[in-house]
């Protein structure tokens, strides 16, 4: 498969970032992450307010902002893996007007495990590398292995916001699974295992 166009779906904490990077490296395609793009632009003033005002509550940023980010990024590249988009049915319908998707991969992880993963997650503000206080601690306490910067907890990884993000996933993103479910190229992958095993399952799809 040359320069595929892939959508990676899954609840927050399912491992989309990790698997998205692996897919992107494997096919040498762009890794387009709406969450990262929005974090970089979180204080951008738009007619709907700033992205931050939605993200800090775990709510979805309005479609028109996110659709534009994705369209601009997609137009710059051939193949891509989309991570964190589409997150509702309207975004999925919009995506179908700007790209033909080859594969949709749904990473499934149960809520109990997601809460454990998200509440212990720490990230590097400089290079976006992910850690976990228990499952993947950095070599030097609180410091990024790649660039040495001080790790932080994302403000939306606090308990109440995590619960809201999981609720938003059930309410808005589950309909996206139904949208793709009966189409060719849709595969559900069990994301509970360690990242190497999950990657093995994903590679087998291709
Ligand atoms: P993530 O890093 O993918 O968990 O995204 C962090 C936050 O960014 C989400 O909780 C939303 O507030 C926002 N966000 C990311 N992707 C989207 C999207 N496709 N549509 C709306 N909001 C998004």
């Amino acid at each position: 498969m040359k320069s595929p166009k892939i959508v990676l779906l899954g609840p927050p904490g399912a491992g989309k970032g990790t698997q998205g990077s692996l897919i992107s490296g494997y096919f040498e395609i762009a890794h387009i992450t709406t969450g990262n793009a929005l974090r970089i632009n979180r204080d951008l003033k738009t007619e709907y307010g700033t992205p931050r005002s939605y993200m800090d509550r775990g709510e979805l940023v309005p479609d028109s902002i996110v659709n534009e980010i994705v369209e601009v990024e997609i137009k710059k590249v051939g193949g891509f893996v989309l991570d964190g988009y589409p997150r509702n049915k309207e975004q999925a319908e919009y995506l179908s007007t700007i790209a033909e998707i080859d594969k949709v991969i749904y990473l499934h992880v149960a809520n109990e495990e997601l809460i454990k993963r998200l509440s212990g997650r720490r990230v590097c503000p400089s290079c976006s590398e992910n850690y976990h206080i228990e499952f993947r601690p950095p070599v030097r306490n609180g410091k990024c292995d790649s660039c040495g910067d001080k790790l932080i907890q994302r403000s939306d990884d606090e308990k109440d916001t995590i619960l809201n993000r999981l609720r938003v996933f059930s309410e808005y993103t589950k309909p996206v699974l139904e949208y793709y479910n009966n189409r060719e190229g849709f595969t559900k992958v069990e994301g509970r295992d360690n990242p190497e095993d999950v990657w093995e399952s994903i590679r087998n799809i291709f």
Side-chain angles (χ1 to χ4, degrees):
M1 200 175 233
K2 204 172 173 291
S3 300
K5 298 183 168 78
I6 300 168
V7 165
L8 187 55
L9 295 173
K16 298 189 298 296
T18 304
Q19 299 303 325
S21 297
L22 290 166
I23 296 171
S24 143
Y26 182 72
F27 286 111
E28 297 182 349
I29 52 177
H31 182 190
I32 302 174
T33 314
T34 47
N36 282 351
L38 288 166
R39 270 185 287 282
I40 291 166
N41 293 296
R42 65 184 150 226
D43 292 319
L44 190 78
K45 290 194 179 64
T46 77
E47 58 181 300
Y48 308 99
T50 60
R52 185 197 288 275
S53 58
Y54 299 89
M55 296 168 82
D56 281 351
R57 285 180 281 125
E59 300 290 339
L60 294 182
V61 174
D63 291 345
S64 55
I65 300 176
V66 187
N67 288 342
E68 190 180 334
I69 290 176
V70 171
E71 184 165 357
V72 167
E73 292 304 313
I74 278 180
K75 289 211 164 123
K76 288 188 206 158
V77 296
F80 55 79
V81 53
L82 266 177
D83 155 0
Y85 180 97
R87 258 186 158 93
N88 61 24
K89 199 158 164 245
E90 291 72 24
Q91 293 180 8
E93 281 162 356
Y94 186 77
L95 179 62
S96 75
T97 67
I98 55 173
E100 266 191 43
I101 301 302
D102 300 301
K103 290 259 179 263
V104 177
I105 299 168
Y106 167 39
L107 269 182
H108 170 265
V109 178
N111 273 6
E112 208 178 293
E113 171 71 15
L114 293 171
I115 293 168
K116 243 195 278 172
R117 288 186 185 182
L118 291 168
S119 52
R121 177 160 74 178
R122 298 293 180 271
V123 294
C124 174
S126 300
C127 70
S128 303
E129 191 65 40
N130 270 292
Y131 298 86
H132 190 281
I133 49 174
E134 192 182 334
F135 311 134
R136 196 191 168 218
V139 176
R140 283 178 304 150
N141 199 12
K143 296 268 165 61
C144 178
D145 292 347
S146 305
C147 72
D149 204 357
K150 192 162 174 268
L151 302 180
I152 55 163
Q153 180 171 35
R154 271 168 52 172
S155 56
D156 59 351
D157 278 346
E158 279 155 27
K159 189 76 194 278
D160 286 349
T161 315
I162 290 174
L163 296 179
N164 198 36
R165 288 161 71 203
L166 295 176
R167 184 194 61 75
V168 166
F169 178 79
S170 280
E171 188 173 339
Y172 298 102
T173 314
K174 286 236 168 107
V176 177
L177 301 178
E178 282 149 33
Y179 176 89
Y180 287 121
N181 197 10
N182 294 320
R183 298 179 188 216
E184 211 184 315
F186 178 88
T187 314
K188 178 176 173 180
V189 170
E190 184 47 64
R192 183 196 47 221
D193 304 329
N194 67 54
E196 292 77 22
D197 292 342
V198 176
W199 170 231
E200 183 70 30
S201 311
I202 291 180
R203 236 185 14 208
N204 285 337
I205 300 171
F206 299 114

